[in-house]
Amino acid sequence: QVQLVESGGGLVQPGGSLRLSCAASESFFSIRAMGWYRQAPGKERELIARITTSGSPGYADSVKGRFTISRDNAKNTVYLQMNSLKPEDTAVYYCNSYPPIQANWGQGTQVTVSS
């Protein structure tokens, strides 16, 4: 089991920005596509962004143009830059491989967008 530790969440006003980070405990990360997922209250967890090992990104329509996923294989870290945040972005954000490995879900980081 690989430990994935998300950080960078918090409370932000609508229109604001946050940068999330996800550090992996070992270098398995460098050979896997990675994804950012989120789970809003009362909803199922959903994939919002993914990135291949070579750095090619993909986004859900709900975040396209506002969020940017990136990775640093040397640091075993994947990032999610979130701009123009909306109240509907409020959720717990998780990282995992893409597709996800169930045993690797971490605690996530809470993002709350509210005035």
Side-chain angles (χ1 to χ4, degrees):
Q1 181 177 351
V2 175
Q3 184 178 11
L4 298 169
V5 180
E6 302 92 347
S7 62
L11 173 64
V12 63
Q13 292 186 343
S17 298
L18 283 174
R19 189 192 193 206
L20 306 184
S21 299
C22 170
S25 62
E26 60 183 79
S27 61
F28 96 107
F29 163 97
S30 65
I31 63 172
R32 297 181 185 273
M34 295 295 295
W36 279 100
Y37 306 77
R38 70 185 181 188
Q39 187 167 20
K43 296 187 177 181
E44 293 189 354
R45 185 153 41 196
E46 61 173 344
L47 173 70
I48 57 169
R50 58 180 174 83
I51 188 166
T52 66
T53 53
S54 60
S56 179
Y59 301 96
D61 288 344
S62 58
V63 306
K64 196 174 296 182
R66 300 187 298 122
F67 291 10
T68 302
I69 188 171
S70 61
R71 65 190 294 159
D72 185 335
N73 289 342
K75 296 182 179 180
N76 297 331
T77 301
V78 61
Y79 304 97
L80 186 69
Q81 177 67 43
M82 305 187 296
N83 299 327
S84 302
L85 283 160
K86 305 175 181 180
E88 51 263 43
D89 294 318
T90 295
V92 179
Y93 285 69
Y94 304 86
C95 70
N96 204 329
S97 56
Y98 175 76
I101 297 173
Q102 290 301 316
N104 288 348
W105 290 114
Q107 295 299 310
T109 186
Q110 175 71 47
V111 172
T112 303
V113 185
S114 175
S115 54

